């Protein structure tokens, strides 16, 4: 016989889900900034979608598209904050702000393209844990040199 979860256990479950999703966000940007695009792709559901202001593609193309998009940049640095996560059973959503720096030349790190905005992501709980089902980026501003990914 199973007992009905107590409000405390429900709260703990919610906190654990939110922590797992926050870790997923952090891991994704670590993968991107280290150009581990295969690792990034593994964080998505098999039918995951990526929606950028300049490109839309399925996760099955993430490695190839990311290698092309980030080719002009020696380094990137994504800072994420104001993370708001809402969990609803086996699905969840988040909005988090981003400021991303893109450095094209290692010998001139003062020259970079910065963009800022927010991400709206959808997640699904899978047998392997939470995975990103939809990844959408909205730009609000740019700064520095022109942001010109290879599209």
């Amino acid at each position: 016989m199973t007992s009905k979860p107590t409000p405390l256990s429900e709260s703990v479950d919610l906190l654990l889900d939110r922590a797992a999703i926050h870790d997923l966000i952090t891991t994704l940007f670590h993968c991107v900034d280290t150009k581990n695009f295969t690792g990034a792709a593994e964080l998505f559901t098999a039918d995951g979608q990526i929606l950028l202001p300049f490109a839309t593609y399925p996760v099955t193309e993430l490695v190839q598209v990311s290698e092309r998009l980030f080719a002009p940049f020696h380094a990137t640095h994504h800072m994420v904050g104001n993370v708001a996560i809402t969990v609803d059973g086996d699905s969840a959503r988040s909005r988090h702000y981003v400021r991303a720096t893109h450095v094209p030349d290692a010998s001139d790190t003062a020259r970079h393209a910065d963009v800022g905005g927010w991400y709206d992501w959808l997640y699904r709980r899978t047998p392997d844990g939470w995975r990103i089902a939809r990844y959408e980026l909205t730009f609000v501003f740019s700064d520095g040199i022109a942001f010109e990914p290879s599209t």
Side-chain angles (χ1 to χ4, degrees):
M1 182 167 121
T2 60
S3 62
K4 184 176 180 181
T6 64
L8 179 59
S9 68
E10 290 174 9
S11 296
V12 170
D13 288 346
L14 176 61
L15 290 171
L16 291 171
D17 285 338
R18 290 177 49 136
I21 291 168
H22 199 278
D23 287 350
L24 190 62
I25 295 167
T26 302
T27 301
L28 184 281
F29 289 114
H30 176 76
C31 287
V32 169
D33 288 340
T34 59
K35 297 189 178 185
N36 177 4
F37 303 125
T38 299
E42 292 170 356
L43 303 174
F44 284 79
T45 59
D47 62 345
Q49 293 289 312
I50 295 96
L51 292 83
L52 305 175
F54 48 84
T56 299
Y57 52 94
V59 72
T60 55
E61 298 175 13
L62 184 143
V63 173
Q64 298 82 3
V65 172
S66 295
E67 286 173 350
R68 188 175 66 249
L69 290 176
F70 288 99
F73 306 113
H74 164 74
T76 60
H77 182 85
H78 290 78
M79 295 179 290
V80 177
N82 297 348
V83 179
I85 299 168
T86 304
V87 178
D88 184 13
D90 289 337
S91 63
R93 65 179 52 245
S94 70
R95 171 169 279 189
H96 39 284
Y97 291 10
V98 63
R99 180 166 183 132
T101 300
H102 304 79
V103 180
D105 184 354
S107 68
D108 187 6
T109 57
R111 186 174 164 272
H112 45 83
D114 299 342
V115 294
W118 63 80
Y119 288 98
D120 290 302
W121 291 4
L122 301 178
Y123 308 86
R124 267 198 311 266
R125 190 189 316 266
T126 73
D128 295 322
W130 288 99
R131 293 294 181 263
I132 304 162
R134 187 171 190 271
Y135 167 120
E136 183 173 359
L137 170 61
T138 301
F139 284 158
V140 175
F141 70 89
S142 63
D143 193 15
I145 64 172
F147 175 68
E148 296 175 347
S150 296
T151 55

